[in-house]
């Protein structure tokens, strides 16, 4: 794949400013010539339309779009108490509903993006919800309660189930009404749903007890089916036969985690023969702003993309071309083809859900793991942020050092080390 093929119209449109020097030419990916400063971002909880800075180009944040809180019974057992059998009772309840914490398709909650999303849920609904993976099925089903009156009781455990949807915010340039440009938090590709819950509440309730409407206790009382003949009849002390209503919410098998990280991920296609790419004629360096190190592709297949100095001995391993370029809502999507080894940048499929997975190069294919979104600074600046399409994670590095790997981070690097310079060579 040494030939780049014809240059697409969109690929040609990426280059707007060319500066010629005696030693060489540098082409900047930009659509204008006047840089503009952006106001500081509210890093705690950005909202769509808030301003951001160039340091935020390599980061992303979740924001909560909708929430729903519903009292839910997770464990229940109907129990008859007769004269002479009152006092402290310990009852083993049946599991009625299983609630598992999840963000998107993956319930591991191991990434900073997922934790931040659940923290935003906590702030939005004002409840102390679970911020890590757990499930109500992991709770003991035993309920101990002191009963002072005979009657038909429901022993229960329950919680407030919190569900909703989230969006993904990225920093990107936006043209203002007066024609100027500014950096703003905009809703980027992706989003999904979440589920979490509050601490479990337990107790015992009778049909004749007055309870707050739409409370966990009221949900448990409804399961008693108090209007039925069975509830009103005399019974010996002990467990009651489950009613149809009590059985209707039996838990379904919990789905296995997917290889991706959230519902924002398109399904990756299988690897095939090297794809025929429509690449731009220009080659670019993806460099650390103001410093000599840039992305360098590996010579060995099992190595990763690292920060390397650009020298006459780099053998084009530091040169990248943008291929199959599209643009939507100001965000470029492209494959990153390396001139030196002929491979495309990717996150290995088996590491797609892994925080800090290393960026690799492989033979080019039609695969969303090889597609990247590029977020740009205002025209006149070459600063960008890079996001993998399939995983949703941003590219960055742990520290500035020769040989340091380029890795994926679900929320990006909040210290600005996910912002790079895309400059033509």
């Amino acid at each position: 794949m040494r030939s780049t093929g014809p240059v697409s119209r969109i690929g040609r449109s990426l280059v707007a400013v060319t500066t010629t020097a005696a030693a060489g030419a540098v082409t900047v990916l930009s659509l204008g010539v006047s840089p503009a400063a952006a106001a500081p971002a509210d890093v705690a909880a950005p909202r769509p339309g808030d301003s951001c800075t160039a340091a935020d180009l390599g980061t992303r944040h979740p924001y909560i779009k909708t929430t729903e809180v519903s009292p839910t019974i997770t464990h229940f057992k109907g129990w008859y108490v007769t004269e002479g059998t009152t006092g402290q009772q310990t009852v083993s309840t049946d599991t009625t509903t299983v609630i598992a914490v999840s963000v998107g398709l993956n319930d591991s909650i191991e990434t900073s993006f997922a934790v931040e999303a659940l923290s935003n849920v906590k702030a939005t609904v004002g409840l102390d919800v679970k911020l890590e993976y757990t499930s109500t099925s992991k709770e003991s089903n035993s309920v101990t309660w002191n009963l002072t009156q005979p009657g038909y009781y429901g022993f229960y455990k329950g919680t407030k189930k919190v569900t909703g949807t989230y969006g993904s915010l990225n920093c990107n340039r936006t043209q203002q009404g007066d024609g100027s440009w500014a950096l703003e938090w905009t809703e980027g590709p992706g989003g999904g749903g979440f589920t979490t819950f509050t601490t479990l509440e337990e107790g015992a309730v009778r049909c004749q007890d007055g309870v707050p409407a739409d409370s966990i206790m009221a949900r448990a009382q409804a399961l008693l089916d108090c209007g039925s003949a069975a509830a009103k009849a005399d019974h010996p002390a002990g467990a009651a036969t489950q009613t149809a209503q009590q059985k209707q919410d039996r838990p379904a098998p919990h789905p296995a985690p997917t290889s991706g990280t959230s519902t924002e991920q398109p399904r990756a296609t299988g690897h095939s023969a090297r794809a025929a790419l429509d690449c731009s004629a220009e080659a670019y360096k993806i460099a650390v702003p103001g410093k000599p190190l840039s992305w360098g592709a590996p010579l060995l297949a099992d190595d990763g993309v690292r920060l390397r100095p650009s020298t006459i001995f780099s053998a084009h391993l530091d040169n990248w071309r943008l291929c199959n370029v599209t643009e939507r809502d100001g965000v470029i999507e492209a494959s990153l083809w390396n001139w030196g080894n002929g491979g495309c940048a990717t996150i290995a499929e088996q590491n797609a859900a892994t925080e800090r997975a290393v960026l690799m190069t492989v033979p080019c294919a039609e695969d969303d793991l090889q597609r990247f979104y590029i977020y740009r600074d205002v025209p006149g600046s070459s600063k960008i942020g890079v996001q993998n399409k399939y995983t949703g994670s941003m590219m960055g590095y742990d520290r500035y050092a020769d040989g340091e790997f380029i890795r994926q981070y679900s929320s990006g690097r909040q210290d600005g080390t996910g912002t790079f310079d895309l400059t033509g060579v």
Side-chain angles (χ1 to χ4, degrees):
M1 189 182 150
R2 309 302 290 181
S3 172
T4 62
V7 181
S8 68
R9 179 184 61 80
I10 295 176
R12 287 194 298 268
S13 72
L14 297 178
V15 181
V17 179
T18 303
T19 303
T20 304
V26 176
T27 305
V28 180
L29 181 67
S30 177
L31 296 181
V33 294
S34 56
D42 178 7
V43 296
R47 301 291 299 174
D50 288 351
S51 60
C52 53
T53 71
D56 296 315
L57 289 169
T59 65
R60 70 169 182 152
H61 293 278
Y63 81 100
I64 305 306
K65 301 172 73 172
T66 65
T67 59
E68 181 179 351
V69 180
S70 55
T72 303
I73 299 302
T74 59
H75 304 76
F76 186 86
K77 174 78 78 173
W79 198 263
Y80 293 105
V81 177
T82 62
E83 293 288 353
T85 65
T86 56
Q88 183 168 290
Q89 302 261 8
T90 297
V91 174
S92 294
T93 60
D94 298 316
T95 300
T96 60
T97 301
V98 175
I99 304 172
V101 178
S102 64
V103 175
L105 295 179
N106 195 326
D107 58 12
S108 62
I109 318 298
E110 293 175 348
T111 66
S112 57
F113 185 86
V115 172
E116 184 181 356
L118 292 178
S119 297
N120 290 351
V121 172
K122 178 179 180 179
T124 299
V125 299
L127 296 172
D128 191 17
V129 300
K130 303 295 184 182
L131 303 183
E132 70 286 329
Y133 173 72
T134 187
S135 168
T136 56
S137 63
K138 295 184 177 182
E139 298 282 342
S140 166
N141 71 340
S142 177
V143 175
T144 300
W145 209 253
N146 187 39
L147 308 175
T148 60
Q149 298 291 330
Y152 179 37
Y153 283 85
F155 280 72
Y156 68 90
K157 286 189 176 185
T159 185
K160 292 180 179 178
K161 180 181 180 180
V162 184
T163 57
T165 60
Y166 65 88
S168 178
L169 292 181
N170 291 84
C171 183
N172 195 42
R173 69 184 185 189
T174 304
Q175 191 164 26
Q176 309 299 293
D178 61 0
S180 64
W181 294 81
L183 286 177
E184 294 181 354
W185 290 108
T186 60
E187 185 167 0
F194 64 84
T195 299
T196 184
F197 60 93
T198 60
T199 302
L200 261 64
E201 168 188 316
E202 66 178 40
V205 62
R206 296 184 304 166
C207 288
Q208 59 267 46
D209 291 338
V211 298
D214 202 30
S215 63
I216 295 172
M217 186 179 291
R219 296 295 175 93
Q221 191 180 61
L223 288 180
L224 284 173
D225 197 12
C226 294
S228 68
K232 298 175 181 179
D234 291 333
H235 291 271
T241 303
Q242 279 191 314
T243 66
Q245 185 177 6
Q246 293 164 17
K247 294 178 181 178
Q248 66 182 4
D249 290 329
R250 299 299 295 171
H254 191 64
T258 66
S259 60
T261 59
S262 72
T263 54
E264 67 205 66
Q265 303 160 353
R267 184 177 299 275
T269 58
H271 291 289
S272 58
R274 176 182 296 176
L277 299 181
D278 177 16
C279 298
S280 63
E282 298 81 10
Y284 297 93
K285 287 183 181 178
I286 307 175
V288 177
K291 297 182 179 181
L293 300 183
S294 63
W295 289 20
L299 282 173
L300 302 176
D302 59 351
D303 197 6
V305 177
R306 300 173 182 264
L307 289 178
R308 294 293 193 192
S310 294
T311 70
I312 60 174
F313 304 107
S314 297
H316 293 300
L317 290 169
D318 57 346
N319 293 167
W320 302 83
R321 285 189 169 130
L322 307 185
C323 304
N324 291 1
V325 178
T326 62
E327 184 173 349
R328 181 178 179 183
D329 297 329
V331 179
I332 292 172
E333 180 187 326
S335 298
L336 303 178
W337 177 75
N338 187 262
W339 189 355
N341 70 10
C344 282
T346 190
I347 297 295
E349 185 174 5
Q350 66 271 23
N351 297 329
T354 303
E355 187 82 345
R356 298 181 66 253
V358 172
L359 187 67
M360 313 286 286
T361 57
V362 296
C364 300
E366 293 292 335
D367 191 333
D368 282 335
L369 282 165
Q370 297 182 18
R371 299 290 286 172
F372 294 85
Y373 297 118
I374 297 176
Y375 300 92
R376 292 171 286 175
D377 198 359
V378 296
S381 168
S382 59
K383 291 183 172 61
I384 62 166
V386 183
Q387 179 183 26
N388 186 270
K389 180 177 182 178
Y390 180 72
T391 69
S393 294
M394 309 299 295
M395 301 300 110
Y397 53 90
D398 285 346
R399 77 181 196 279
Y400 179 77
D402 185 358
E404 185 70 15
F405 283 118
I406 301 298
R407 303 175 183 271
Q408 69 168 2
Y409 304 85
S410 61
S411 295
R413 295 283 290 170
Q414 304 303 316
D415 60 0
T417 53
T419 295
F420 299 97
D421 269 334
L422 185 67
T423 55
V425 295

